[in-house]
mmCIF file of all heavy atoms in Angstrom:
data_model
loop_
_atom_site.group_PDB
_atom_site.id
_atom_site.type_symbol
_atom_site.label_atom_id
_atom_site.label_comp_id
_atom_site.label_asym_id
_atom_site.label_seq_id
_atom_site.Cartn_x
_atom_site.Cartn_y
_atom_site.Cartn_z
ATOM 1 N N ARG A 37 -25.389 -9.894 16.259
ATOM 2 C CA ARG A 37 -25.167 -8.517 15.817
ATOM 3 C C ARG A 37 -23.758 -8.126 16.203
ATOM 4 O O ARG A 37 -23.281 -8.497 17.265
ATOM 5 C CB ARG A 37 -26.161 -7.559 16.515
ATOM 6 C CG ARG A 37 -27.598 -7.921 16.277
ATOM 7 C CD ARG A 37 -28.033 -7.579 14.893
ATOM 8 N NE ARG A 37 -28.063 -6.130 14.680
ATOM 9 C CZ ARG A 37 -28.479 -5.581 13.555
ATOM 10 N NH1 ARG A 37 -28.856 -6.336 12.549
ATOM 11 N NH2 ARG A 37 -28.497 -4.286 13.429
ATOM 12 N N ARG A 40 -20.007 -3.579 17.990
ATOM 13 C CA ARG A 40 -19.922 -2.154 17.753
ATOM 14 C C ARG A 40 -19.971 -1.926 16.266
ATOM 15 O O ARG A 40 -19.186 -2.505 15.527
ATOM 16 C CB ARG A 40 -18.582 -1.617 18.264
ATOM 17 C CG ARG A 40 -18.644 -0.947 19.603
ATOM 18 C CD ARG A 40 -17.239 -0.654 20.033
ATOM 19 N NE ARG A 40 -16.410 -1.845 19.933
ATOM 20 C CZ ARG A 40 -15.111 -1.835 19.702
ATOM 21 N NH1 ARG A 40 -14.496 -0.688 19.541
ATOM 22 N NH2 ARG A 40 -14.421 -2.939 19.626
ATOM 23 N N LEU A 41 -20.846 -1.104 15.830
ATOM 24 C CA LEU A 41 -20.855 -0.810 14.406
ATOM 25 C C LEU A 41 -19.966 0.388 14.172
ATOM 26 O O LEU A 41 -19.965 1.330 14.951
ATOM 27 C CB LEU A 41 -22.272 -0.501 13.946
ATOM 28 C CG LEU A 41 -23.030 -1.740 13.519
ATOM 29 C CD1 LEU A 41 -24.432 -1.366 13.149
ATOM 30 C CD2 LEU A 41 -22.332 -2.421 12.350
ATOM 31 N N ARG A 44 -20.161 6.475 11.358
ATOM 32 C CA ARG A 44 -19.947 7.176 10.105
ATOM 33 C C ARG A 44 -18.842 8.195 10.267
ATOM 34 O O ARG A 44 -18.690 8.790 11.317
ATOM 35 C CB ARG A 44 -21.231 7.919 9.753
ATOM 36 C CG ARG A 44 -21.617 7.824 8.308
ATOM 37 C CD ARG A 44 -22.780 8.733 8.085
ATOM 38 N NE ARG A 44 -22.385 9.680 7.052
ATOM 39 C CZ ARG A 44 -22.730 9.540 5.778
ATOM 40 N NH1 ARG A 44 -23.448 8.544 5.399
ATOM 41 N NH2 ARG A 44 -22.341 10.419 4.895
ATOM 42 N N ARG A 48 -12.821 6.193 13.057
ATOM 43 C CA ARG A 48 -12.970 4.762 12.791
ATOM 44 C C ARG A 48 -11.631 4.136 12.445
ATOM 45 O O ARG A 48 -11.555 3.075 11.875
ATOM 46 C CB ARG A 48 -13.959 4.545 11.660
ATOM 47 C CG ARG A 48 -13.563 5.271 10.416
ATOM 48 C CD ARG A 48 -14.723 5.398 9.482
ATOM 49 N NE ARG A 48 -14.323 6.147 8.319
ATOM 50 C CZ ARG A 48 -13.707 5.613 7.282
ATOM 51 N NH1 ARG A 48 -13.403 4.356 7.257
ATOM 52 N NH2 ARG A 48 -13.388 6.354 6.252
ATOM 53 N N ARG A 49 -10.576 4.823 12.794
ATOM 54 C CA ARG A 49 -9.257 4.308 12.440
ATOM 55 C C ARG A 49 -8.852 3.128 13.305
ATOM 56 O O ARG A 49 -8.540 2.071 12.842
ATOM 57 C CB ARG A 49 -8.203 5.412 12.598
ATOM 58 C CG ARG A 49 -8.093 6.329 11.404
ATOM 59 C CD ARG A 49 -7.364 5.700 10.239
ATOM 60 N NE ARG A 49 -8.244 4.894 9.400
ATOM 61 C CZ ARG A 49 -8.921 5.367 8.379
ATOM 62 N NH1 ARG A 49 -8.844 6.613 8.049
ATOM 63 N NH2 ARG A 49 -9.674 4.570 7.664
ATOM 64 N N ARG A 51 -9.434 0.267 16.048
ATOM 65 C CA ARG A 51 -10.367 -0.557 16.790
ATOM 66 C C ARG A 51 -9.541 -1.401 17.722
ATOM 67 O O ARG A 51 -8.883 -2.335 17.325
ATOM 68 C CB ARG A 51 -11.176 -1.434 15.843
ATOM 69 C CG ARG A 51 -12.548 -0.903 15.584
ATOM 70 C CD ARG A 51 -13.194 -1.742 14.525
ATOM 71 N NE ARG A 51 -12.241 -1.962 13.450
ATOM 72 C CZ ARG A 51 -11.969 -1.072 12.524
ATOM 73 N NH1 ARG A 51 -12.581 0.062 12.521
ATOM 74 N NH2 ARG A 51 -11.093 -1.332 11.584
ATOM 75 N N TYR A 277 -6.310 -1.449 -4.512
ATOM 76 C CA TYR A 277 -7.386 -0.831 -3.743
ATOM 77 C C TYR A 277 -7.397 0.680 -3.915
ATOM 78 O O TYR A 277 -8.434 1.318 -3.716
ATOM 79 C CB TYR A 277 -7.335 -1.229 -2.258
ATOM 80 C CG TYR A 277 -6.110 -0.796 -1.504
ATOM 81 C CD1 TYR A 277 -6.001 0.494 -0.999
ATOM 82 C CD2 TYR A 277 -5.072 -1.673 -1.272
ATOM 83 C CE1 TYR A 277 -4.886 0.889 -0.299
ATOM 84 C CE2 TYR A 277 -3.955 -1.292 -0.573
ATOM 85 C CZ TYR A 277 -3.860 -0.007 -0.089
ATOM 86 O OH TYR A 277 -2.756 0.389 0.596
ATOM 87 N N THR A 280 -9.426 1.049 -7.004
ATOM 88 C CA THR A 280 -10.831 0.844 -6.665
ATOM 89 C C THR A 280 -11.408 2.097 -6.026
ATOM 90 O O THR A 280 -12.498 2.545 -6.393
ATOM 91 C CB THR A 280 -10.973 -0.341 -5.685
ATOM 92 O OG1 THR A 280 -10.252 -1.443 -6.209
ATOM 93 C CG2 THR A 280 -12.417 -0.713 -5.497
ATOM 94 N N ARG A 282 -10.396 5.153 -6.282
ATOM 95 C CA ARG A 282 -10.513 6.226 -7.276
ATOM 96 C C ARG A 282 -11.720 5.999 -8.165
ATOM 97 O O ARG A 282 -12.457 6.927 -8.483
ATOM 98 C CB ARG A 282 -9.254 6.276 -8.131
ATOM 99 C CG ARG A 282 -8.294 7.300 -7.663
ATOM 100 C CD ARG A 282 -7.141 7.466 -8.607
ATOM 101 N NE ARG A 282 -5.984 7.772 -7.792
ATOM 102 C CZ ARG A 282 -4.955 6.982 -7.643
ATOM 103 N NH1 ARG A 282 -4.891 5.849 -8.296
ATOM 104 N NH2 ARG A 282 -3.980 7.331 -6.847
ATOM 105 N N ALA A 283 -11.893 4.733 -8.558
ATOM 106 C CA ALA A 283 -13.006 4.427 -9.458
ATOM 107 C C ALA A 283 -14.347 4.654 -8.771
ATOM 108 O O ALA A 283 -15.349 4.872 -9.424
ATOM 109 C CB ALA A 283 -12.899 2.994 -9.954
ATOM 110 N N LYS A 284 -14.362 4.596 -7.445
ATOM 111 C CA LYS A 284 -15.614 4.875 -6.740
ATOM 112 C C LYS A 284 -15.885 6.364 -6.661
ATOM 113 O O LYS A 284 -16.940 6.780 -6.195
ATOM 114 C CB LYS A 284 -15.549 4.314 -5.321
ATOM 115 C CG LYS A 284 -15.784 2.821 -5.263
ATOM 116 C CD LYS A 284 -15.724 2.336 -3.836
ATOM 117 C CE LYS A 284 -15.800 0.827 -3.790
ATOM 118 N NZ LYS A 284 -15.525 0.329 -2.440
ATOM 119 N N LEU A 286 -13.502 8.674 -5.248
ATOM 120 C CA LEU A 286 -12.795 9.351 -4.158
ATOM 121 C C LEU A 286 -11.763 10.308 -4.739
ATOM 122 O O LEU A 286 -11.073 9.990 -5.699
ATOM 123 C CB LEU A 286 -12.101 8.308 -3.277
ATOM 124 C CG LEU A 286 -11.738 8.745 -1.871
ATOM 125 C CD1 LEU A 286 -12.986 9.081 -1.084
ATOM 126 C CD2 LEU A 286 -10.976 7.635 -1.158
ATOM 127 N N HIS A 295 -6.383 5.918 2.342
ATOM 128 C CA HIS A 295 -5.988 4.559 1.975
ATOM 129 C C HIS A 295 -4.485 4.358 1.976
ATOM 130 O O HIS A 295 -3.972 3.467 2.644
ATOM 131 C CB HIS A 295 -6.539 4.213 0.594
ATOM 132 C CG HIS A 295 -8.013 4.008 0.583
ATOM 133 N ND1 HIS A 295 -8.593 2.820 0.928
ATOM 134 C CD2 HIS A 295 -9.022 4.844 0.283
ATOM 135 C CE1 HIS A 295 -9.910 2.933 0.838
ATOM 136 N NE2 HIS A 295 -10.195 4.153 0.446
ATOM 137 N N PRO A 298 -2.155 5.451 5.569
ATOM 138 C CA PRO A 298 -2.265 4.558 6.733
ATOM 139 C C PRO A 298 -1.619 3.200 6.499
ATOM 140 O O PRO A 298 -1.032 2.638 7.412
ATOM 141 C CB PRO A 298 -3.776 4.413 6.929
ATOM 142 C CG PRO A 298 -4.352 5.630 6.334
ATOM 143 C CD PRO A 298 -3.467 5.983 5.179
ATOM 144 N N ASN A 299 -1.712 2.693 5.286
ATOM 145 C CA ASN A 299 -1.109 1.396 5.023
ATOM 146 C C ASN A 299 0.396 1.467 4.886
ATOM 147 O O ASN A 299 1.087 0.476 5.092
ATOM 148 C CB ASN A 299 -1.707 0.785 3.756
ATOM 149 C CG ASN A 299 -3.035 0.142 4.029
ATOM 150 O OD1 ASN A 299 -3.126 -0.758 4.845
ATOM 151 N ND2 ASN A 299 -4.064 0.631 3.379
ATOM 152 N N LEU A 372 -2.543 -1.247 14.854
ATOM 153 C CA LEU A 372 -2.461 -0.491 13.607
ATOM 154 C C LEU A 372 -2.818 -1.348 12.401
ATOM 155 O O LEU A 372 -3.356 -0.848 11.422
ATOM 156 C CB LEU A 372 -1.038 0.056 13.424
ATOM 157 C CG LEU A 372 -0.601 1.116 14.412
ATOM 158 C CD1 LEU A 372 0.838 1.510 14.157
ATOM 159 C CD2 LEU A 372 -1.491 2.341 14.312
ATOM 160 N N PRO A 374 -4.658 -4.842 11.118
ATOM 161 C CA PRO A 374 -5.464 -6.017 11.464
ATOM 162 C C PRO A 374 -4.826 -7.322 11.009
ATOM 163 O O PRO A 374 -5.128 -8.367 11.556
ATOM 164 C CB PRO A 374 -6.780 -5.766 10.730
ATOM 165 C CG PRO A 374 -6.483 -4.724 9.719
ATOM 166 C CD PRO A 374 -5.370 -3.901 10.268
ATOM 167 N N THR A 378 -4.162 -11.691 13.767
ATOM 168 C CA THR A 378 -4.521 -13.113 13.839
ATOM 169 C C THR A 378 -3.282 -13.982 13.757
ATOM 170 O O THR A 378 -2.299 -13.589 13.175
ATOM 171 C CB THR A 378 -5.461 -13.500 12.693
ATOM 172 O OG1 THR A 378 -5.060 -12.815 11.532
ATOM 173 C CG2 THR A 378 -6.857 -13.132 13.062
ATOM 174 N N ARG B 107 -18.801 8.239 -12.068
ATOM 175 C CA ARG B 107 -18.251 7.070 -11.389
ATOM 176 C C ARG B 107 -19.253 6.393 -10.471
ATOM 177 O O ARG B 107 -19.052 5.262 -10.061
ATOM 178 C CB ARG B 107 -17.008 7.470 -10.598
ATOM 179 C CG ARG B 107 -15.832 7.637 -11.520
ATOM 180 C CD ARG B 107 -14.639 8.179 -10.850
ATOM 181 N NE ARG B 107 -13.527 8.201 -11.790
ATOM 182 C CZ ARG B 107 -12.428 8.881 -11.618
ATOM 183 N NH1 ARG B 107 -12.293 9.591 -10.526
ATOM 184 N NH2 ARG B 107 -11.474 8.856 -12.503
ATOM 185 N N GLY B 119 -5.952 -7.669 -3.546
ATOM 186 C CA GLY B 119 -5.318 -6.384 -3.741
ATOM 187 C C GLY B 119 -6.313 -5.250 -3.816
ATOM 188 O O GLY B 119 -5.997 -4.119 -3.466
ATOM 189 N N SER B 120 -7.531 -5.532 -4.258
ATOM 190 C CA SER B 120 -8.441 -4.412 -4.467
ATOM 191 C C SER B 120 -9.241 -4.076 -3.220
ATOM 192 O O SER B 120 -10.096 -3.203 -3.255
ATOM 193 C CB SER B 120 -9.352 -4.658 -5.666
ATOM 194 O OG SER B 120 -9.880 -5.947 -5.633
ATOM 195 N N ASN B 122 -8.738 -2.719 0.697
ATOM 196 C CA ASN B 122 -7.762 -2.164 1.637
ATOM 197 C C ASN B 122 -7.653 -3.104 2.841
ATOM 198 O O ASN B 122 -8.648 -3.361 3.510
ATOM 199 C CB ASN B 122 -8.232 -0.780 2.083
ATOM 200 C CG ASN B 122 -7.203 -0.072 2.938
ATOM 201 O OD1 ASN B 122 -6.414 -0.704 3.629
ATOM 202 N ND2 ASN B 122 -7.216 1.237 2.895
ATOM 203 N N PRO B 123 -6.459 -3.643 3.105
ATOM 204 C CA PRO B 123 -6.330 -4.652 4.165
ATOM 205 C C PRO B 123 -6.683 -4.128 5.549
ATOM 206 O O PRO B 123 -6.967 -4.914 6.445
ATOM 207 C CB PRO B 123 -4.844 -5.044 4.098
ATOM 208 C CG PRO B 123 -4.171 -3.933 3.391
ATOM 209 C CD PRO B 123 -5.186 -3.377 2.433
ATOM 210 N N ARG B 124 -6.680 -2.823 5.728
ATOM 211 C CA ARG B 124 -6.967 -2.279 7.046
ATOM 212 C C ARG B 124 -8.430 -1.906 7.222
ATOM 213 O O ARG B 124 -8.825 -1.438 8.285
ATOM 214 C CB ARG B 124 -6.108 -1.033 7.308
ATOM 215 C CG ARG B 124 -4.659 -1.329 7.620
ATOM 216 C CD ARG B 124 -3.822 -0.093 7.389
ATOM 217 N NE ARG B 124 -4.486 1.095 7.881
ATOM 218 C CZ ARG B 124 -4.309 1.565 9.108
ATOM 219 N NH1 ARG B 124 -3.509 0.979 9.930
ATOM 220 N NH2 ARG B 124 -4.941 2.652 9.494
ATOM 221 N N HIS B 125 -9.214 -2.067 6.178
ATOM 222 C CA HIS B 125 -10.621 -1.694 6.290
ATOM 223 C C HIS B 125 -11.481 -2.943 6.435
ATOM 224 O O HIS B 125 -11.234 -3.957 5.783
ATOM 225 C CB HIS B 125 -11.065 -0.916 5.054
ATOM 226 C CG HIS B 125 -10.556 0.498 5.059
ATOM 227 N ND1 HIS B 125 -11.001 1.436 4.181
ATOM 228 C CD2 HIS B 125 -9.655 1.121 5.848
ATOM 229 C CE1 HIS B 125 -10.387 2.583 4.421
ATOM 230 N NE2 HIS B 125 -9.558 2.416 5.416
ATOM 231 N N GLU B 129 -16.618 -1.154 6.033
ATOM 232 C CA GLU B 129 -16.023 0.088 5.540
ATOM 233 C C GLU B 129 -15.783 0.038 4.044
ATOM 234 O O GLU B 129 -15.983 1.029 3.337
ATOM 235 C CB GLU B 129 -14.696 0.353 6.264
ATOM 236 C CG GLU B 129 -14.882 0.786 7.686
ATOM 237 C CD GLU B 129 -13.587 0.760 8.463
ATOM 238 O OE1 GLU B 129 -12.643 0.078 8.026
ATOM 239 O OE2 GLU B 129 -13.520 1.403 9.505
ATOM 240 N N ALA B 130 -15.345 -1.129 3.563
ATOM 241 C CA ALA B 130 -15.072 -1.266 2.135
ATOM 242 C C ALA B 130 -16.342 -1.027 1.328
ATOM 243 O O ALA B 130 -16.324 -0.336 0.312
ATOM 244 C CB ALA B 130 -14.508 -2.658 1.845
ATOM 245 N N GLU B 133 -17.825 2.672 1.663
ATOM 246 C CA GLU B 133 -17.025 3.789 1.186
ATOM 247 C C GLU B 133 -17.704 4.555 0.055
ATOM 248 O O GLU B 133 -17.759 5.786 0.072
ATOM 249 C CB GLU B 133 -15.660 3.303 0.729
ATOM 250 C CG GLU B 133 -14.841 4.442 0.148
ATOM 251 C CD GLU B 133 -13.380 4.117 0.046
ATOM 252 O OE1 GLU B 133 -13.069 3.014 -0.431
ATOM 253 O OE2 GLU B 133 -12.567 4.953 0.457
ATOM 254 N N ARG B 136 -20.303 6.787 1.326
ATOM 255 C CA ARG B 136 -19.767 7.964 2.016
ATOM 256 C C ARG B 136 -19.262 8.993 1.030
ATOM 257 O O ARG B 136 -19.358 10.188 1.257
ATOM 258 C CB ARG B 136 -18.643 7.543 2.966
ATOM 259 C CG ARG B 136 -19.194 6.783 4.143
ATOM 260 C CD ARG B 136 -18.118 6.235 5.030
ATOM 261 N NE ARG B 136 -18.729 5.486 6.122
ATOM 262 C CZ ARG B 136 -18.088 4.588 6.848
ATOM 263 N NH1 ARG B 136 -16.818 4.331 6.617
ATOM 264 N NH2 ARG B 136 -18.698 3.954 7.816
ATOM 265 N N ILE B 137 -18.704 8.512 -0.090
ATOM 266 C CA ILE B 137 -18.190 9.442 -1.091
ATOM 267 C C ILE B 137 -19.342 10.203 -1.736
ATOM 268 O O ILE B 137 -19.262 11.405 -1.947
ATOM 269 C CB ILE B 137 -17.400 8.675 -2.173
ATOM 270 C CG1 ILE B 137 -16.136 8.072 -1.588
ATOM 271 C CG2 ILE B 137 -17.054 9.596 -3.336
ATOM 272 C CD1 ILE B 137 -15.471 7.058 -2.484
ATOM 273 N N HIS B 138 -20.423 9.485 -2.024
ATOM 274 C CA HIS B 138 -21.480 10.114 -2.812
ATOM 275 C C HIS B 138 -22.616 10.680 -1.967
ATOM 276 O O HIS B 138 -23.607 11.144 -2.507
ATOM 277 C CB HIS B 138 -22.005 9.117 -3.848
ATOM 278 C CG HIS B 138 -20.968 8.781 -4.883
ATOM 279 N ND1 HIS B 138 -20.679 9.604 -5.940
ATOM 280 C CD2 HIS B 138 -20.112 7.750 -4.983
ATOM 281 C CE1 HIS B 138 -19.709 9.081 -6.662
ATOM 282 N NE2 HIS B 138 -19.341 7.957 -6.099
ATOM 283 N N GLU B 149 -27.256 3.933 6.175
ATOM 284 C CA GLU B 149 -26.109 3.338 5.517
ATOM 285 C C GLU B 149 -26.021 1.838 5.788
ATOM 286 O O GLU B 149 -25.759 1.031 4.894
ATOM 287 C CB GLU B 149 -24.853 4.050 6.043
ATOM 288 C CG GLU B 149 -23.583 3.672 5.367
ATOM 289 C CD GLU B 149 -22.393 4.335 6.046
ATOM 290 O OE1 GLU B 149 -22.080 5.478 5.697
ATOM 291 O OE2 GLU B 149 -21.782 3.713 6.925
ATOM 292 N N GLN B 150 -26.287 1.485 7.037
ATOM 293 C CA GLN B 150 -26.120 0.089 7.436
ATOM 294 C C GLN B 150 -27.055 -0.832 6.645
ATOM 295 O O GLN B 150 -26.650 -1.900 6.185
ATOM 296 C CB GLN B 150 -26.392 -0.010 8.926
ATOM 297 C CG GLN B 150 -25.891 -1.283 9.537
ATOM 298 C CD GLN B 150 -26.279 -1.348 10.996
ATOM 299 O OE1 GLN B 150 -26.299 -0.338 11.686
ATOM 300 N NE2 GLN B 150 -26.599 -2.537 11.459
ATOM 301 N N PHE B 169 -19.823 -7.840 8.528
ATOM 302 C CA PHE B 169 -19.537 -6.416 8.701
ATOM 303 C C PHE B 169 -18.138 -6.153 9.245
ATOM 304 O O PHE B 169 -17.402 -5.331 8.732
ATOM 305 C CB PHE B 169 -20.550 -5.794 9.664
ATOM 306 C CG PHE B 169 -21.824 -5.362 8.992
ATOM 307 C CD1 PHE B 169 -22.028 -5.606 7.648
ATOM 308 C CD2 PHE B 169 -22.812 -4.707 9.713
ATOM 309 C CE1 PHE B 169 -23.198 -5.213 7.024
ATOM 310 C CE2 PHE B 169 -23.988 -4.306 9.095
ATOM 311 C CZ PHE B 169 -24.183 -4.562 7.758
ATOM 312 N N LEU B 170 -17.802 -6.814 10.316
ATOM 313 C CA LEU B 170 -16.559 -6.450 11.011
ATOM 314 C C LEU B 170 -15.397 -7.369 10.657
ATOM 315 O O LEU B 170 -14.368 -7.354 11.314
ATOM 316 C CB LEU B 170 -16.780 -6.445 12.528
ATOM 317 C CG LEU B 170 -17.730 -5.337 12.997
ATOM 318 C CD1 LEU B 170 -17.853 -5.322 14.503
ATOM 319 C CD2 LEU B 170 -17.280 -3.971 12.503
ATOM 320 N N TYR B 172 -12.231 -8.655 8.402
ATOM 321 C CA TYR B 172 -11.207 -8.036 7.571
ATOM 322 C C TYR B 172 -10.959 -8.911 6.346
ATOM 323 O O TYR B 172 -11.188 -10.121 6.394
ATOM 324 C CB TYR B 172 -9.911 -7.866 8.360
ATOM 325 C CG TYR B 172 -9.968 -6.718 9.318
ATOM 326 C CD1 TYR B 172 -10.320 -6.903 10.641
ATOM 327 C CD2 TYR B 172 -9.693 -5.429 8.875
ATOM 328 C CE1 TYR B 172 -10.386 -5.836 11.517
ATOM 329 C CE2 TYR B 172 -9.752 -4.363 9.741
ATOM 330 C CZ TYR B 172 -10.106 -4.560 11.056
ATOM 331 O OH TYR B 172 -10.174 -3.503 11.900
ATOM 332 N N HIS B 174 -8.425 -10.273 5.107
ATOM 333 C CA HIS B 174 -7.568 -11.455 5.234
ATOM 334 C C HIS B 174 -8.274 -12.595 5.955
ATOM 335 O O HIS B 174 -7.772 -13.712 5.983
ATOM 336 C CB HIS B 174 -6.267 -11.088 5.949
ATOM 337 C CG HIS B 174 -6.434 -10.755 7.409
ATOM 338 N ND1 HIS B 174 -6.635 -9.478 7.861
ATOM 339 C CD2 HIS B 174 -6.453 -11.543 8.506
ATOM 340 C CE1 HIS B 174 -6.769 -9.501 9.172
ATOM 341 N NE2 HIS B 174 -6.659 -10.724 9.600
#
Side-chain angles (χ1 to χ4, degrees):
Chain A
R37 302 286 293 183
R40 260 172 309 151
L41 271 177
R44 223 187 122 99
R48 57 198 178 83
R49 276 284 85 89
R51 259 173 315 281
Y277 63 82
T280 310
R282 263 187 214 113
K284 281 181 187 171
L286 201 63
H295 288 277
N299 279 301
L372 293 177
T378 38
Chain B
R107 283 173 175 164
S120 46
N122 186 331
R124 285 161 42 92
H125 284 191
E129 287 168 341
E133 176 164 46
R136 289 174 181 160
I137 293 167
H138 294 281
E149 186 185 274
Q150 196 184 324
F169 275 4
L170 293 183
Y172 283 95
H174 69 268

